[in-house]
Amino acid sequence: MEKHMNYLPKITFLLLFSTILFLSACNDKEDPIGLWDDNIKLSIKQAEFNAESDSIVVTTEGNWWWIDGISVNDSTYTFYDDVAVNLESEEYSIQKDCFTVERRNANTLFIKMDENSSGEKRLMTVYLQAGDYFDSVHIEQLAE
C-alpha cells in the first residue's frame, strides 16, 4: 500500500495540470467557441426614413435566419411564444401599432413604418438571429 502512495502526488499534479490546460484552452479570447461568423449577410444595416410612411427591403445572402425581436423607442417585442407568428416558417408578417415587418421569403426582409406625427424621432431595431450569430437593422425615422 505504501508503494502506491508514492504515486498520489504525481497523479494529483497531473490531474491539476490537465485541468488548468483544459480550462485555458476553453478560454481562448481570439477564437471563442459558440460565436459564429456572419451567416445572414444583410444588404443594409442602417436606414433613415422620412416622417411620412416609409419602407425598405433588406436582402440576405444567408437563408437560415429568423426575427429575434423588434424594438421601437422604449418598447420591445419578442415572438417566440406568439402563436400568430411561426418563426420557423419561410414567410411571416408581424404588424404592431406603428410598423410592419415581413419575412417575405428566405432572403427578403421588408420593414415598413407608419407616418411619424409624434414630433419626436422614432428609433427602430429589427434583431435577427441565425444559430449563434446575431445581427440587426437600425432605422431612424424623422418626425414631422
Side-chain angles (χ1 to χ4, degrees), residues 24-37 132:
S24 66
C26 290
N27 198 17
D28 186 359
K29 300 287 186 207
E30 291 186 27
D31 190 20
I33 296 171
L35 298 179
W36 296 9
D37 290 333
D132 205 11

mmCIF file with all atom_site columns, all heavy atoms in Angstrom, residues 24-37 132:
data_model
loop_
_atom_site.group_PDB
_atom_site.id
_atom_site.type_symbol
_atom_site.label_atom_id
_atom_site.label_alt_id
_atom_site.label_comp_id
_atom_site.label_asym_id
_atom_site.label_entity_id
_atom_site.label_seq_id
_atom_site.pdbx_PDB_ins_code
_atom_site.Cartn_x
_atom_site.Cartn_y
_atom_site.Cartn_z
_atom_site.occupancy
_atom_site.B_iso_or_equiv
_atom_site.pdbx_formal_charge
_atom_site.auth_seq_id
_atom_site.auth_comp_id
_atom_site.auth_asym_id
_atom_site.auth_atom_id
_atom_site.pdbx_PDB_model_num
ATOM 1   N N   . SER A 1 24  ? -7.747  26.644 -19.783 1.00 0.00 ? 24  SER A N   1
ATOM 2   C CA  . SER A 1 24  ? -7.122  27.734 -20.532 1.00 0.00 ? 24  SER A CA  1
ATOM 3   C C   . SER A 1 24  ? -7.392  27.583 -22.022 1.00 0.00 ? 24  SER A C   1
ATOM 4   O O   . SER A 1 24  ? -7.536  28.578 -22.732 1.00 0.00 ? 24  SER A O   1
ATOM 5   C CB  . SER A 1 24  ? -5.618  27.798 -20.260 1.00 0.00 ? 24  SER A CB  1
ATOM 6   O OG  . SER A 1 24  ? -4.962  26.657 -20.767 1.00 0.00 ? 24  SER A OG  1
ATOM 7   N N   . ALA A 1 25  ? -7.511  26.382 -22.520 1.00 0.00 ? 25  ALA A N   1
ATOM 8   C CA  . ALA A 1 25  ? -7.841  26.170 -23.940 1.00 0.00 ? 25  ALA A CA  1
ATOM 9   C C   . ALA A 1 25  ? -9.276  26.591 -24.220 1.00 0.00 ? 25  ALA A C   1
ATOM 10  O O   . ALA A 1 25  ? -9.588  27.103 -25.289 1.00 0.00 ? 25  ALA A O   1
ATOM 11  C CB  . ALA A 1 25  ? -7.630  24.708 -24.311 1.00 0.00 ? 25  ALA A CB  1
ATOM 12  N N   . CYS A 1 26  ? -10.167 26.412 -23.267 1.00 0.00 ? 26  CYS A N   1
ATOM 13  C CA  . CYS A 1 26  ? -11.567 26.801 -23.444 1.00 0.00 ? 26  CYS A CA  1
ATOM 14  C C   . CYS A 1 26  ? -11.765 28.297 -23.322 1.00 0.00 ? 26  CYS A C   1
ATOM 15  O O   . CYS A 1 26  ? -12.800 28.825 -23.692 1.00 0.00 ? 26  CYS A O   1
ATOM 16  C CB  . CYS A 1 26  ? -12.445 26.110 -22.397 1.00 0.00 ? 26  CYS A CB  1
ATOM 17  S SG  . CYS A 1 26  ? -12.583 24.345 -22.674 1.00 0.00 ? 26  CYS A SG  1
ATOM 18  N N   . ASN A 1 27  ? -10.812 29.005 -22.822 1.00 0.00 ? 27  ASN A N   1
ATOM 19  C CA  . ASN A 1 27  ? -10.932 30.439 -22.587 1.00 0.00 ? 27  ASN A CA  1
ATOM 20  C C   . ASN A 1 27  ? -10.169 31.237 -23.637 1.00 0.00 ? 27  ASN A C   1
ATOM 21  O O   . ASN A 1 27  ? -9.632  32.292 -23.344 1.00 0.00 ? 27  ASN A O   1
ATOM 22  C CB  . ASN A 1 27  ? -10.436 30.768 -21.171 1.00 0.00 ? 27  ASN A CB  1
ATOM 23  C CG  . ASN A 1 27  ? -10.930 32.111 -20.712 1.00 0.00 ? 27  ASN A CG  1
ATOM 24  O OD1 . ASN A 1 27  ? -11.857 32.657 -21.273 1.00 0.00 ? 27  ASN A OD1 1
ATOM 25  N ND2 . ASN A 1 27  ? -10.298 32.642 -19.680 1.00 0.00 ? 27  ASN A ND2 1
ATOM 26  N N   . ASP A 1 28  ? -10.122 30.760 -24.857 1.00 0.00 ? 28  ASP A N   1
ATOM 27  C CA  . ASP A 1 28  ? -9.409  31.427 -25.943 1.00 0.00 ? 28  ASP A CA  1
ATOM 28  C C   . ASP A 1 28  ? -10.195 32.660 -26.381 1.00 0.00 ? 28  ASP A C   1
ATOM 29  O O   . ASP A 1 28  ? -11.266 32.556 -26.956 1.00 0.00 ? 28  ASP A O   1
ATOM 30  C CB  . ASP A 1 28  ? -9.240  30.450 -27.110 1.00 0.00 ? 28  ASP A CB  1
ATOM 31  C CG  . ASP A 1 28  ? -8.388  31.022 -28.219 1.00 0.00 ? 28  ASP A CG  1
ATOM 32  O OD1 . ASP A 1 28  ? -7.941  32.178 -28.104 1.00 0.00 ? 28  ASP A OD1 1
ATOM 33  O OD2 . ASP A 1 28  ? -8.166  30.298 -29.213 1.00 0.00 ? 28  ASP A OD2 1
ATOM 34  N N   . LYS A 1 29  ? -9.689  33.837 -26.112 1.00 0.00 ? 29  LYS A N   1
ATOM 35  C CA  . LYS A 1 29  ? -10.388 35.090 -26.409 1.00 0.00 ? 29  LYS A CA  1
ATOM 36  C C   . LYS A 1 29  ? -10.420 35.421 -27.893 1.00 0.00 ? 29  LYS A C   1
ATOM 37  O O   . LYS A 1 29  ? -11.305 36.089 -28.360 1.00 0.00 ? 29  LYS A O   1
ATOM 38  C CB  . LYS A 1 29  ? -9.732  36.260 -25.649 1.00 0.00 ? 29  LYS A CB  1
ATOM 39  C CG  . LYS A 1 29  ? -9.746  36.119 -24.165 1.00 0.00 ? 29  LYS A CG  1
ATOM 40  C CD  . LYS A 1 29  ? -11.120 36.332 -23.615 1.00 0.00 ? 29  LYS A CD  1
ATOM 41  C CE  . LYS A 1 29  ? -11.062 36.331 -22.108 1.00 0.00 ? 29  LYS A CE  1
ATOM 42  N NZ  . LYS A 1 29  ? -12.241 35.943 -21.457 1.00 0.00 ? 29  LYS A NZ  1
ATOM 43  N N   . GLU A 1 30  ? -9.434  34.960 -28.649 1.00 0.00 ? 30  GLU A N   1
ATOM 44  C CA  . GLU A 1 30  ? -9.381  35.305 -30.061 1.00 0.00 ? 30  GLU A CA  1
ATOM 45  C C   . GLU A 1 30  ? -10.295 34.436 -30.904 1.00 0.00 ? 30  GLU A C   1
ATOM 46  O O   . GLU A 1 30  ? -10.721 34.838 -31.969 1.00 0.00 ? 30  GLU A O   1
ATOM 47  C CB  . GLU A 1 30  ? -7.940  35.211 -30.564 1.00 0.00 ? 30  GLU A CB  1
ATOM 48  C CG  . GLU A 1 30  ? -7.073  36.303 -29.979 1.00 0.00 ? 30  GLU A CG  1
ATOM 49  C CD  . GLU A 1 30  ? -5.690  36.319 -30.581 1.00 0.00 ? 30  GLU A CD  1
ATOM 50  O OE1 . GLU A 1 30  ? -5.541  35.879 -31.734 1.00 0.00 ? 30  GLU A OE1 1
ATOM 51  O OE2 . GLU A 1 30  ? -4.776  36.757 -29.896 1.00 0.00 ? 30  GLU A OE2 1
ATOM 52  N N   . ASP A 1 31  ? -10.609 33.258 -30.483 1.00 0.00 ? 31  ASP A N   1
ATOM 53  C CA  . ASP A 1 31  ? -11.482 32.365 -31.228 1.00 0.00 ? 31  ASP A CA  1
ATOM 54  C C   . ASP A 1 31  ? -12.454 31.710 -30.255 1.00 0.00 ? 31  ASP A C   1
ATOM 55  O O   . ASP A 1 31  ? -12.368 30.526 -29.994 1.00 0.00 ? 31  ASP A O   1
ATOM 56  C CB  . ASP A 1 31  ? -10.649 31.307 -31.960 1.00 0.00 ? 31  ASP A CB  1
ATOM 57  C CG  . ASP A 1 31  ? -11.497 30.518 -32.937 1.00 0.00 ? 31  ASP A CG  1
ATOM 58  O OD1 . ASP A 1 31  ? -12.576 30.998 -33.317 1.00 0.00 ? 31  ASP A OD1 1
ATOM 59  O OD2 . ASP A 1 31  ? -11.077 29.402 -33.300 1.00 0.00 ? 31  ASP A OD2 1
ATOM 60  N N   . PRO A 1 32  ? -13.395 32.504 -29.717 1.00 0.00 ? 32  PRO A N   1
ATOM 61  C CA  . PRO A 1 32  ? -14.303 31.949 -28.706 1.00 0.00 ? 32  PRO A CA  1
ATOM 62  C C   . PRO A 1 32  ? -15.238 30.902 -29.308 1.00 0.00 ? 32  PRO A C   1
ATOM 63  O O   . PRO A 1 32  ? -15.740 31.063 -30.409 1.00 0.00 ? 32  PRO A O   1
ATOM 64  C CB  . PRO A 1 32  ? -15.070 33.162 -28.201 1.00 0.00 ? 32  PRO A CB  1
ATOM 65  C CG  . PRO A 1 32  ? -14.935 34.178 -29.267 1.00 0.00 ? 32  PRO A CG  1
ATOM 66  C CD  . PRO A 1 32  ? -13.657 33.896 -29.989 1.00 0.00 ? 32  PRO A CD  1
ATOM 67  N N   . ILE A 1 33  ? -15.436 29.840 -28.577 1.00 0.00 ? 33  ILE A N   1
ATOM 68  C CA  . ILE A 1 33  ? -16.324 28.776 -29.007 1.00 0.00 ? 33  ILE A CA  1
ATOM 69  C C   . ILE A 1 33  ? -17.761 29.264 -28.882 1.00 0.00 ? 33  ILE A C   1
ATOM 70  O O   . ILE A 1 33  ? -18.128 29.915 -27.922 1.00 0.00 ? 33  ILE A O   1
ATOM 71  C CB  . ILE A 1 33  ? -16.093 27.525 -28.139 1.00 0.00 ? 33  ILE A CB  1
ATOM 72  C CG1 . ILE A 1 33  ? -14.677 27.010 -28.349 1.00 0.00 ? 33  ILE A CG1 1
ATOM 73  C CG2 . ILE A 1 33  ? -17.115 26.443 -28.446 1.00 0.00 ? 33  ILE A CG2 1
ATOM 74  C CD1 . ILE A 1 33  ? -14.277 25.918 -27.392 1.00 0.00 ? 33  ILE A CD1 1
ATOM 75  N N   . GLY A 1 34  ? -18.588 28.941 -29.861 1.00 0.00 ? 34  GLY A N   1
ATOM 76  C CA  . GLY A 1 34  ? -20.006 29.293 -29.797 1.00 0.00 ? 34  GLY A CA  1
ATOM 77  C C   . GLY A 1 34  ? -20.356 30.570 -30.524 1.00 0.00 ? 34  GLY A C   1
ATOM 78  O O   . GLY A 1 34  ? -21.512 30.853 -30.732 1.00 0.00 ? 34  GLY A O   1
ATOM 79  N N   . LEU A 1 35  ? -19.400 31.381 -30.928 1.00 0.00 ? 35  LEU A N   1
ATOM 80  C CA  . LEU A 1 35  ? -19.700 32.587 -31.683 1.00 0.00 ? 35  LEU A CA  1
ATOM 81  C C   . LEU A 1 35  ? -19.468 32.298 -33.154 1.00 0.00 ? 35  LEU A C   1
ATOM 82  O O   . LEU A 1 35  ? -18.384 31.909 -33.553 1.00 0.00 ? 35  LEU A O   1
ATOM 83  C CB  . LEU A 1 35  ? -18.821 33.758 -31.215 1.00 0.00 ? 35  LEU A CB  1
ATOM 84  C CG  . LEU A 1 35  ? -19.004 34.172 -29.765 1.00 0.00 ? 35  LEU A CG  1
ATOM 85  C CD1 . LEU A 1 35  ? -18.075 35.310 -29.423 1.00 0.00 ? 35  LEU A CD1 1
ATOM 86  C CD2 . LEU A 1 35  ? -20.438 34.563 -29.483 1.00 0.00 ? 35  LEU A CD2 1
ATOM 87  N N   . TRP A 1 36  ? -20.494 32.509 -33.946 1.00 0.00 ? 36  TRP A N   1
ATOM 88  C CA  . TRP A 1 36  ? -20.432 32.168 -35.361 1.00 0.00 ? 36  TRP A CA  1
ATOM 89  C C   . TRP A 1 36  ? -20.071 33.385 -36.194 1.00 0.00 ? 36  TRP A C   1
ATOM 90  O O   . TRP A 1 36  ? -20.300 34.520 -35.809 1.00 0.00 ? 36  TRP A O   1
ATOM 91  C CB  . TRP A 1 36  ? -21.761 31.625 -35.823 1.00 0.00 ? 36  TRP A CB  1
ATOM 92  C CG  . TRP A 1 36  ? -22.182 30.352 -35.179 1.00 0.00 ? 36  TRP A CG  1
ATOM 93  C CD1 . TRP A 1 36  ? -21.608 29.722 -34.114 1.00 0.00 ? 36  TRP A CD1 1
ATOM 94  C CD2 . TRP A 1 36  ? -23.293 29.558 -35.554 1.00 0.00 ? 36  TRP A CD2 1
ATOM 95  N NE1 . TRP A 1 36  ? -22.287 28.586 -33.808 1.00 0.00 ? 36  TRP A NE1 1
ATOM 96  C CE2 . TRP A 1 36  ? -23.344 28.447 -34.681 1.00 0.00 ? 36  TRP A CE2 1
ATOM 97  C CE3 . TRP A 1 36  ? -24.269 29.659 -36.519 1.00 0.00 ? 36  TRP A CE3 1
ATOM 98  C CZ2 . TRP A 1 36  ? -24.309 27.459 -34.765 1.00 0.00 ? 36  TRP A CZ2 1
ATOM 99  C CZ3 . TRP A 1 36  ? -25.226 28.679 -36.605 1.00 0.00 ? 36  TRP A CZ3 1
ATOM 100 C CH2 . TRP A 1 36  ? -25.235 27.589 -35.746 1.00 0.00 ? 36  TRP A CH2 1
ATOM 101 N N   . ASP A 1 37  ? -19.547 33.130 -37.377 1.00 0.00 ? 37  ASP A N   1
ATOM 102 C CA  . ASP A 1 37  ? -19.318 34.195 -38.352 1.00 0.00 ? 37  ASP A CA  1
ATOM 103 C C   . ASP A 1 37  ? -20.653 34.632 -38.934 1.00 0.00 ? 37  ASP A C   1
ATOM 104 O O   . ASP A 1 37  ? -21.668 33.951 -38.790 1.00 0.00 ? 37  ASP A O   1
ATOM 105 C CB  . ASP A 1 37  ? -18.409 33.687 -39.480 1.00 0.00 ? 37  ASP A CB  1
ATOM 106 C CG  . ASP A 1 37  ? -16.983 33.457 -39.008 1.00 0.00 ? 37  ASP A CG  1
ATOM 107 O OD1 . ASP A 1 37  ? -16.552 34.132 -38.048 1.00 0.00 ? 37  ASP A OD1 1
ATOM 108 O OD2 . ASP A 1 37  ? -16.312 32.600 -39.590 1.00 0.00 ? 37  ASP A OD2 1
ATOM 109 N N   . ASP A 1 132 ? -26.018 30.825 -33.653 1.00 0.00 ? 132 ASP A N   1
ATOM 110 C CA  . ASP A 1 132 ? -25.350 31.604 -32.611 1.00 0.00 ? 132 ASP A CA  1
ATOM 111 C C   . ASP A 1 132 ? -24.789 32.906 -33.181 1.00 0.00 ? 132 ASP A C   1
ATOM 112 O O   . ASP A 1 132 ? -23.830 33.458 -32.655 1.00 0.00 ? 132 ASP A O   1
ATOM 113 C CB  . ASP A 1 132 ? -24.233 30.763 -31.977 1.00 0.00 ? 132 ASP A CB  1
ATOM 114 C CG  . ASP A 1 132 ? -23.917 31.218 -30.564 1.00 0.00 ? 132 ASP A CG  1
ATOM 115 O OD1 . ASP A 1 132 ? -24.686 32.027 -30.011 1.00 0.00 ? 132 ASP A OD1 1
ATOM 116 O OD2 . ASP A 1 132 ? -22.901 30.763 -30.013 1.00 0.00 ? 132 ASP A OD2 1
#
